[in-house]
Amino acid sequence: MNDYWCIPSKEDADFVACMEDVLDVYELPYDPMYPVVCMDEKPYQLLDDVRQPLPVRPGDNQKTDSEYKRNGTCSIFAFVEPLGGRHHVSVHEHRTAIDWAMGIKYLSDEMFPDAKKIILVMDNLNTHKAASLYKAFPPSEARRIIKRLEIHYTPKHGSWLDMAEIELNVMTRQCLSRRISTLDKLKCELSAWEMERNRDTAKIQWHFQTGDAREKLISLYPTLSSVTF
């Protein structure tokens, strides 16, 4: 057996600086004018059955043949406001800078149009940059959206610090742990899942704080040599 983890380097000052920045954000009190939103994305493979599954019978589960047909891949974007219980997911044929920029515009203008500033936590993926907005929109529009954001990046090898990963895990368990054959069907299923999450105002409680990090992840902190102040 082999477990796969995101393993940062020992005594990694860059990691702990980004980590403590994100943990500070998570300790902010809830303020609807300054919502904290986490964003992440995941690839998804569209799969179809080759043989029709056997129907469910009383006292028995549906039986699905192990053979399947691949119908291509897509990318799922997830936005979650952990303390406010707001959720949004979108499906894209590709994972491009334009796709990300369109998602950020939706976040700004549809999810939180009245917010004074949107505090956005996400990882350092190559498309998750302000430059992507300039690829999608005229400069004035790109700048308008950027000015509505305060971006905080999780450290490299520290994607577990992004609460949107929790959202994606819930989504996978509740909605994606089966074969979905087409892009349209995936969009329909995720739209229904999103409506249910928003109806329930499903929130995320984050308990790991900076003090915990300094105790439990001490090996990641640089060892201070003798310094004269």
Side-chain angles (χ1 to χ4, degrees):
M1 297 295 292
N2 193 8
D3 292 330
Y4 291 91
W5 295 79
C6 291
I7 304 175
S9 303
K10 302 291 185 181
E11 299 189 18
D12 190 334
D14 287 335
F15 185 96
V16 297
C18 289
M19 175 179 65
E20 292 204 352
D21 176 59
V22 169
L23 293 178
D24 280 351
V25 169
Y26 289 167
E27 290 191 44
L28 293 173
Y30 175 65
D31 186 339
M33 290 293 98
Y34 296 87
V36 173
V37 180
C38 299
M39 179 267 167
D40 201 4
E41 59 183 88
K42 69 171 291 177
Y44 185 76
Q45 185 170 213
L46 300 167
L47 300 175
D48 200 359
D49 294 313
V50 175
R51 295 176 177 82
Q52 190 70 20
L54 297 179
V56 176
R57 298 183 300 179
D60 199 3
N61 295 326
Q62 175 178 284
K63 291 182 172 59
T64 302
D65 191 83
S66 59
E67 187 177 1
Y68 57 85
K69 175 185 175 183
R70 292 184 176 90
N71 286 345
T73 60
C74 59
S75 186
I76 300 173
F77 288 12
F79 294 88
V80 57
E81 183 193 15
L83 296 182
R86 291 283 302 277
H87 307 261
H88 175 63
V89 293
S90 59
V91 180
H92 304 264
E93 292 188 47
H94 309 287
R95 184 198 68 78
T96 68
I98 305 300
D99 295 310
W100 181 83
M102 297 302 296
I104 295 301
K105 180 177 173 62
Y106 186 91
L107 170 71
S108 168
D109 298 351
E110 301 296 331
M111 291 185 71
F112 300 100
D114 300 322
K116 294 181 180 179
K117 185 77 72 172
I118 300 168
I119 304 172
L120 179 59
V121 176
M122 58 186 173
D123 63 22
N124 261 300
L125 203 61
N126 63 331
T127 56
H128 296 175
K129 307 293 181 185
S132 296
L133 292 163
Y134 285 92
K135 295 179 181 179
F137 307 113
S140 58
E141 177 68 353
R143 197 66 204 157
R144 178 189 71 83
I145 297 171
I146 291 169
K147 289 170 70 174
R148 303 205 66 232
L149 305 175
E150 178 184 309
I151 297 176
H152 298 261
Y153 288 108
T154 59
K156 293 180 180 179
H157 300 285
S159 60
W160 57 272
L161 285 159
D162 187 349
M163 277 194 266
E165 278 208 350
I166 299 174
E167 181 81 347
L168 287 173
N169 288 335
V170 174
M171 178 196 303
T172 299
R173 292 197 311 271
Q174 295 181 347
C175 188
L176 302 180
S177 57
R178 55 201 166 96
R179 292 175 188 166
I180 298 178
S181 58
T182 67
L183 205 64
D184 286 341
K185 184 177 180 182
L186 177 62
K187 290 179 179 179
C188 182
E189 295 289 341
L190 285 177
S191 177
W193 181 82
E194 174 189 307
M195 288 179 61
E196 183 175 345
R197 293 285 281 174
N198 282 318
R199 183 198 66 203
D200 295 341
T201 321
K203 302 177 183 179
I204 299 174
Q205 299 296 324
W206 183 268
H207 299 288
F208 190 75
Q209 298 181 335
T210 301
D212 301 313
R214 292 177 181 175
E215 177 182 350
K216 298 177 181 179
L217 302 179
I218 187 63
S219 64
L220 303 183
Y221 284 76
T223 301
L224 298 179
S225 56
S226 55
V227 180
T228 302
F229 293 96

